Protein backbone atom coordinates (compact mmCIF):
# COMPACT_ATOMS: atom_id res chain seq x y z
CA UNK A 1 0.00 0.00 0.00
CA UNK A 2 2.75 2.46 0.92
CA UNK A 3 4.44 1.94 -2.40
CA UNK A 4 1.34 2.82 -4.42
CA UNK A 5 0.31 5.64 -2.12
CA UNK A 6 3.75 7.28 -2.36
CA UNK A 7 3.84 6.88 -6.14
CA UNK A 8 0.36 8.34 -6.43
CA UNK A 9 1.62 11.37 -4.49
CA UNK A 10 4.34 11.91 -7.11
CA UNK A 11 7.27 10.53 -5.14
CA UNK A 12 9.95 8.38 -6.72
CA UNK A 13 9.75 5.01 -5.00
CA UNK A 14 11.93 1.91 -5.01
CA UNK A 15 11.05 -1.20 -3.01
CA UNK A 16 13.31 -4.14 -2.25
CA UNK A 17 11.95 -7.21 -0.49
CA UNK A 18 15.27 -8.61 0.65
CA UNK A 19 16.44 -12.19 0.88
CA UNK A 20 19.75 -13.57 2.23
CA UNK A 21 21.08 -14.06 -1.31
CA UNK A 22 20.77 -10.29 -1.89
CA UNK A 23 23.63 -9.63 0.57
CA UNK A 24 26.61 -9.50 -1.83
CA UNK A 25 27.33 -5.84 -2.59
CA UNK A 26 27.03 -6.22 -6.36
CA UNK A 27 23.66 -8.02 -6.09
CA UNK A 28 22.26 -5.48 -3.63
CA UNK A 29 23.51 -2.61 -5.81
CA UNK A 30 21.94 -4.03 -8.97
CA UNK A 31 18.60 -4.58 -7.25
CA UNK A 32 18.60 -1.17 -5.59
CA UNK A 33 19.39 0.57 -8.88
CA UNK A 34 16.70 -1.41 -10.68
CA UNK A 35 14.19 -0.56 -7.95
CA UNK A 36 14.96 3.12 -8.59
CA UNK A 37 14.50 2.65 -12.33
CA UNK A 38 18.21 2.96 -13.13
CA UNK A 39 20.28 0.58 -15.22
CA UNK A 40 22.07 -1.99 -13.12
CA UNK A 41 25.80 -2.48 -13.46
CA UNK A 42 25.50 -6.20 -14.08
CA UNK A 43 26.66 -8.40 -11.25
CA UNK A 44 28.81 -10.37 -13.62
CA UNK A 45 31.56 -7.76 -13.34
CA UNK A 46 35.12 -9.04 -12.86
CA UNK A 47 35.41 -7.39 -9.43
CA UNK A 48 32.56 -6.52 -7.09
CA UNK A 49 32.30 -2.80 -6.36
CA UNK A 50 33.64 -1.53 -3.06
CA UNK A 51 31.06 -0.44 -0.52
CA UNK A 52 32.00 3.21 -1.06
CA UNK A 53 31.65 2.82 -4.83
CA UNK A 54 28.25 1.15 -4.37
CA UNK A 55 27.07 4.00 -2.14
CA UNK A 56 28.34 6.59 -4.63
CA UNK A 57 26.52 4.84 -7.46
CA UNK A 58 23.27 4.65 -5.50
CA UNK A 59 23.50 8.29 -4.44
CA UNK A 60 24.17 9.36 -8.02
CA UNK A 61 21.07 7.41 -9.11
CA UNK A 62 18.96 9.40 -6.65
CA UNK A 63 20.16 12.70 -8.15
CA UNK A 64 18.90 12.04 -11.69
CA UNK A 65 15.39 12.93 -10.61
CA UNK A 66 14.32 16.08 -8.77
CA UNK A 67 11.53 14.31 -6.90
CA UNK A 68 11.81 13.09 -3.33
CA UNK A 69 13.00 9.50 -3.44
CA UNK A 70 11.98 6.73 -1.06
CA UNK A 71 13.95 3.51 -1.09
CA UNK A 72 12.29 0.79 0.98
CA UNK A 73 14.48 -2.05 2.25
CA UNK A 74 11.91 -4.54 3.47
CA UNK A 75 12.94 -7.56 5.54
CA UNK A 76 16.36 -5.97 6.04
CA UNK A 77 17.09 -8.39 8.90
CA UNK A 78 17.31 -11.23 6.34
CA UNK A 79 20.66 -9.87 5.18
CA UNK A 80 22.18 -10.82 8.53
CA UNK A 81 23.91 -7.48 9.04
CA UNK A 82 26.44 -7.92 6.24
CA UNK A 83 25.47 -4.64 4.58
CA UNK A 84 25.10 -2.54 7.74
CA UNK A 85 28.21 -0.47 7.00
CA UNK A 86 27.03 0.19 3.43
CA UNK A 87 23.58 1.25 4.63
CA UNK A 88 25.08 3.50 7.30
CA UNK A 89 27.22 5.24 4.66
CA UNK A 90 24.14 5.62 2.50
CA UNK A 91 22.21 7.26 5.34
CA UNK A 92 25.07 9.57 6.26
CA UNK A 93 25.74 10.75 2.72
CA UNK A 94 22.24 10.87 1.32
CA UNK A 95 20.90 14.06 -0.21
CA UNK A 96 17.96 15.54 1.72
CA UNK A 97 15.50 14.28 -0.87
CA UNK A 98 16.50 10.63 -0.36
CA UNK A 99 14.66 8.78 2.38
CA UNK A 100 15.75 5.26 3.19
CA UNK A 101 13.00 3.22 4.85
CA UNK A 102 14.18 0.06 6.59
CA UNK A 103 11.69 -2.60 7.59
CA UNK A 104 13.27 -5.10 9.97
CA UNK A 105 12.36 -7.45 12.78
CA UNK A 106 15.68 -6.56 14.43
CA UNK A 107 17.33 -3.20 14.95
CA UNK A 108 20.00 -2.82 12.29
CA UNK A 109 23.53 -2.28 13.56
CA UNK A 110 24.06 0.94 11.63
CA UNK A 111 24.93 3.17 14.56
CA UNK A 112 21.37 4.24 15.29
CA UNK A 113 22.30 6.24 18.40
CA UNK A 114 24.76 8.41 16.49
CA UNK A 115 22.46 8.77 13.48
CA UNK A 116 19.61 9.66 15.84
CA UNK A 117 21.79 12.31 17.53
CA UNK A 118 22.58 13.80 14.10
CA UNK A 119 18.87 13.94 13.27
CA UNK A 120 19.24 11.48 10.41
CA UNK A 121 16.83 8.83 11.67
CA UNK A 122 13.13 8.67 12.40
CA UNK A 123 12.08 5.44 14.05
CA UNK A 124 8.72 3.75 14.09
CA UNK A 125 8.50 0.89 16.54
CA UNK A 126 5.78 -1.55 17.51
CA UNK A 127 3.85 1.04 19.53
CA UNK A 128 3.56 3.38 16.54
CA UNK A 129 2.55 0.58 14.19
CA UNK A 130 -0.28 -0.85 16.28
CA UNK A 131 -3.81 0.16 15.39
CA UNK A 132 -6.06 1.89 17.88
CA UNK A 133 -9.75 1.08 18.24
CA UNK A 134 -11.00 3.54 15.57
CA UNK A 135 -8.29 2.50 13.10
CA UNK A 136 -9.10 -1.17 13.67
CA UNK A 137 -12.79 -0.43 13.24
CA UNK A 138 -12.10 1.29 9.91
CA UNK A 139 -9.94 -1.62 8.74
CA UNK A 140 -12.53 -4.22 9.68
CA UNK A 141 -15.31 -2.18 8.07
CA UNK A 142 -13.44 -1.71 4.78
CA UNK A 143 -12.68 -5.44 4.65
CA UNK A 144 -16.40 -6.19 4.58
CA UNK A 145 -16.87 -7.27 8.23
CA UNK A 146 -19.57 -4.76 9.09
CA UNK A 147 -21.41 -6.97 11.59
CA UNK A 148 -18.70 -7.19 14.28
CA UNK A 149 -19.73 -5.73 17.62
CA UNK A 150 -17.63 -3.16 19.43
CA UNK A 151 -17.05 -5.67 22.23
CA UNK A 152 -15.84 -8.33 19.81
CA UNK A 153 -13.61 -5.80 18.09
CA UNK A 154 -12.13 -4.71 21.43
CA UNK A 155 -11.38 -8.36 22.27
CA UNK A 156 -9.88 -8.97 18.83
CA UNK A 157 -7.76 -5.84 19.17
CA UNK A 158 -6.51 -6.98 22.57
CA UNK A 159 -5.65 -10.48 21.35
CA UNK A 160 -3.86 -9.28 18.21
CA UNK A 161 -2.15 -6.38 20.02
CA UNK A 162 -3.40 -4.11 17.26
CA UNK A 163 -1.35 -5.64 14.48
CA UNK A 164 -3.13 -4.94 11.17
CA UNK A 165 -2.11 -8.22 9.54
CA UNK A 166 -3.70 -10.17 12.41
CA UNK A 167 -6.89 -8.15 12.28
Amino acid sequence: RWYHRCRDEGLRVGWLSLEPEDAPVEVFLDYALAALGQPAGGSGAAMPPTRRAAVSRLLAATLVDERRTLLFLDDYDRLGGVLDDLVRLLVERAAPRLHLVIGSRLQPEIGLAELRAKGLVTELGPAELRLGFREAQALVTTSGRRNITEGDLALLLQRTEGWPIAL
Side-chain angles (χ1 to χ4, degrees):
R1 286 185 175 237
W2 279 21
Y3 176 84
H4 295 290
R5 184 175 174 191
C6 292
R7 292 213 36 170
D8 291 347
E9 291 177 11
L11 302 174
R12 183 174 179 217
V13 182
W15 191 290
L16 292 174
S17 294
L18 297 166
E19 299 291 337
E21 53 271 12
D22 302 333
V25 174
E26 64 274 17
V27 174
F28 176 79
L29 176 61
D30 282 355
Y31 287 159
L33 289 169
L36 293 172
Q38 297 296 303
S43 15
M47 269 184 80
T50 65
R51 293 184 187 293
R52 285 191 188 279
V55 166
S56 294
R57 183 119 187 259
L58 273 171
L59 292 177
T62 66
L63 297 176
V64 299
D65 194 313
E66 292 296 320
R67 294 177 293 170
R68 250 182 48 205
T69 299
L70 298 171
L71 179 57
F72 288 84
L73 303 179
D74 197 17
D75 293 324
Y76 181 78
D77 52 289
R78 290 183 170 184
L79 298 180
V82 296
L83 293 178
D84 285 350
D85 57 337
L86 183 145
V87 169
R88 180 187 171 110
L89 268 173
L90 191 57
V91 171
E92 289 178 330
R93 297 182 178 183
R97 68 175 173 245
L98 172 62
H99 302 276
L100 194 61
V101 181
I102 300 174
S104 180
R105 288 177 174 78
L106 307 169
Q107 277 201 342
E109 297 293 326
I110 59 173
L112 284 172
E114 186 179 337
L115 295 172
R116 199 179 298 120
K118 291 179 180 178
L120 296 175
V121 173
T122 300
E123 296 174 86
L124 299 176
E128 293 85 9
L129 297 174
R130 285 186 186 108
L131 296 182
F133 185 82
R134 294 290 169 222
E135 294 165 318
Q137 194 172 42
L139 177 66
V140 169
T141 300
T142 59
S143 70
R145 309 267 181 190
R146 299 180 200 281
N147 58 350
I148 190 167
T149 68
E150 286 192 7
D152 287 343
L153 180 59
L155 181 60
L156 184 60
L157 196 58
Q158 178 187 2
R159 288 189 178 164
T160 61
E161 297 181 352
W163 289 104
I165 193 72
L167 289 169

